[in-house]
Amino acid sequence: MDDLYREVIIEHYKNPGYRGRLDPHDIFFEDNNPLCGDHIEVTLQVGADGAVSDARFDGHGCAISQASADLLIESIIGKPIEEVKQLNKQDVLDLLGIELGPVRLKCALLSLKVLKAGVYGLGEAGDDLVE
Ligand code: ZN
């Protein structure tokens, strides 16, 4: 699998720019991908204009799960929450820039699932959030 990882994924995995936890924060959510053992939590601060003023992720797991979280968080800072709600599977795949099989797809989409459950204020992160 390693030879399929593009350099950008390794780079974001090893040197994530947005790892951490915002305190205080307006939105918090966390969830796991039991298939792989990945864990992701996100914290967001939302400005008076309804846009994401800052965001961080924390967690552990495989390179795909952590790199996609870093790329995703980077991409949403400054975006209106309404736009974040519209993000889908393809947006994450575009950020990663690689094709993924069904197992790795779960890893890649965990951060999106967590993020969307958070912005929608849901108590649970369902797979339907990332279709
Ligand atoms: Zn994984």
Side-chain angles (χ1 to χ4, degrees):
M1 187 70 199
D2 280 26
D3 55 334
L4 294 177
Y5 286 16
R6 288 186 27 173
E7 211 154 294
V8 61
I9 293 174
I10 299 292
E11 187 53 33
H12 279 270
Y13 176 57
K14 288 187 173 164
N15 301 303
Y18 296 92
R19 184 182 284 281
R21 179 190 271 226
L22 297 173
D23 197 15
H25 51 255
D26 300 301
I27 292 171
F28 169 84
F29 202 81
E30 63 182 334
D31 200 11
N32 302 299
N33 168 20
L35 289 176
C36 180
D38 307 318
H39 178 84
I40 294 284
E41 64 166 59
V42 298
T43 47
L44 270 64
Q45 289 173 349
V46 182
D49 58 354
V52 177
S53 52
D54 208 356
R56 291 291 183 278
F57 81 98
D58 206 354
H60 57 246
C62 67
I64 296 273
S65 69
Q66 305 300 302
S68 77
D70 198 49
L71 286 158
L72 184 65
I73 292 297
E74 181 178 41
S75 79
I76 62 160
I77 294 177
K79 268 200 182 144
I81 285 291
E82 289 309 312
E83 259 180 58
V84 175
K85 286 181 176 177
Q86 306 306 319
L87 291 172
N88 61 31
K89 181 164 88 178
Q90 194 55 49
D91 294 312
V92 174
L93 293 178
D94 288 348
L95 287 171
L96 286 168
I98 54 169
E99 294 292 321
L100 295 169
V103 174
R104 289 290 160 184
L105 199 54
K106 293 264 185 201
C107 302
L109 295 177
L110 175 62
S111 53
L112 180 62
K113 229 164 82 167
V114 169
L115 177 65
K116 288 186 77 172
V119 296
Y120 276 106
L122 302 175
E124 204 174 308
D127 283 335
D128 55 323
L129 287 173
V130 295
E131 288 311 310

